[in-house]
């Protein structure tokens, strides 16, 4: 069963030094680490390494893929396909994304939603960028007052562009859940 996905929008390619720092963080935080290519990592992240104590009774080692995309790294076709139906992001976030990072959970338990949000926040801390977070209609008022929101939109679907601070604040809200 697939789980939630978050996308980090980037204004430029990630420098190799930042990719190495990201790799080091993932190695330290994971029970299993596999580097598919530079910038693509298949891991079993330790939920407790993200400060998550309550795993809902499931194994705290959660399977996640972290994948950098865009020209010169990753699959450019996937990057282009993911951004084909996006609105013009520059007025919202101050740049047109040239690269992105996908954080993809492979399971769909409540803990996987929290892991995805908090891992995405950690990735932003290491390499920068803005999280592109699609919302359900009923989540719009819940996130409206949270810190770290860069922009919101409602058309063609509700979404927030937010910082690592936003992701951490939202993950603490009762009933927190990402879209798949």
């Amino acid at each position: 069963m697939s789980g939630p996905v978050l996308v980090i929008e980037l204004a430029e390619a990630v420098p190799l030094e930042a990719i190495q720092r990201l790799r080091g963080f993932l190695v330290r935080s994971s029970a299993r680490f596999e580097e598919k290519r530079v910038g693509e990592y298949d891991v079993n992240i330790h939920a407790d390494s993200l400060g998550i104590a309550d795993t809902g009774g499931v194994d705290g080692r959660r399977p996640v893929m972290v994948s950098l995309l865009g020209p010169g790294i990753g699959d450019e076709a996937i990057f282009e396909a993911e951004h084909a139906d996006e609105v013009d992001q520059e007025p919202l976030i101050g740049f047109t994304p040239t690269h992105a990072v996908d954080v993809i959970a492979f399971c769909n338990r409540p803990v996987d939603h929290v892991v995805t949000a908090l891992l995405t926040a950690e990735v932003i801390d290491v390499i920068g960028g803005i999280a592109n977070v699609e919302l359900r209609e009923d989540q719009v008022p819940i996130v409206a007052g949270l810190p770290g929101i860069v922009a919101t939109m409602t058309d063609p679907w509700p979404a927030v562009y937010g910082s690592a601070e936003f992701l951490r604040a939202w993950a603490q809200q009762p009933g927190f859940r990402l879209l798949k």
Side-chain angles (χ1 to χ4, degrees), residues 1 9 27-28 57 80 97 99 133:
M1 172 183 268
E9 305 292 5
V27 166
R28 289 187 306 277
E80 294 297 329
H99 292 76
V133 183

Side-chain angles (χ1 to χ4, degrees), residues 23-174:
R23 183 184 189 282
F25 167 76
L26 292 171
V27 166
R28 289 187 306 277
S29 304
S30 300
R32 184 185 60 78
F33 175 89
E34 182 181 345
E35 185 170 28
K36 303 279 189 175
R37 62 166 168 76
V38 173
E40 183 169 286
Y41 311 103
D42 187 356
V43 300
N44 278 358
I45 196 87
H46 288 290
D48 61 356
S49 73
L50 301 171
I52 302 167
D54 181 8
T55 62
V58 299
D59 189 333
R61 298 169 295 181
R62 308 312 299 162
V64 179
M65 172 81 65
V66 176
S67 182
L68 280 77
L69 304 170
I73 190 161
D75 189 330
E76 286 184 54
I78 292 174
F79 174 82
E80 294 297 329
E82 286 182 353
H83 289 79
D85 63 348
E86 290 289 338
V87 299
D88 182 9
Q89 294 172 309
E90 186 166 0
L92 295 168
I93 61 175
F95 62 90
T96 298
T98 63
H99 292 76
V101 179
D102 287 352
V103 179
I104 306 163
F106 292 128
C107 296
N108 198 28
R109 303 270 189 162
V111 68
D112 297 301
H113 290 256
V114 178
V115 164
T116 302
L118 297 182
L119 178 57
T120 301
E122 292 291 334
V123 174
I124 290 171
D125 286 346
V126 174
I127 65 170
I130 301 291
N132 180 345
V133 183
E134 292 183 26
L135 302 171
R136 294 186 324 253
E137 288 286 340
D138 64 321
Q139 293 174 318
V140 173
I142 295 168
V143 303
L146 295 178
I149 293 177
V150 175
T152 60
M153 63 180 220
T154 56
D155 187 38
W157 51 79
V160 168
Y161 292 92
S163 67
E165 178 185 29
F166 164 74
L167 291 170
R168 289 183 180 106
W170 188 30
Q172 293 177 9
Q173 298 304 304

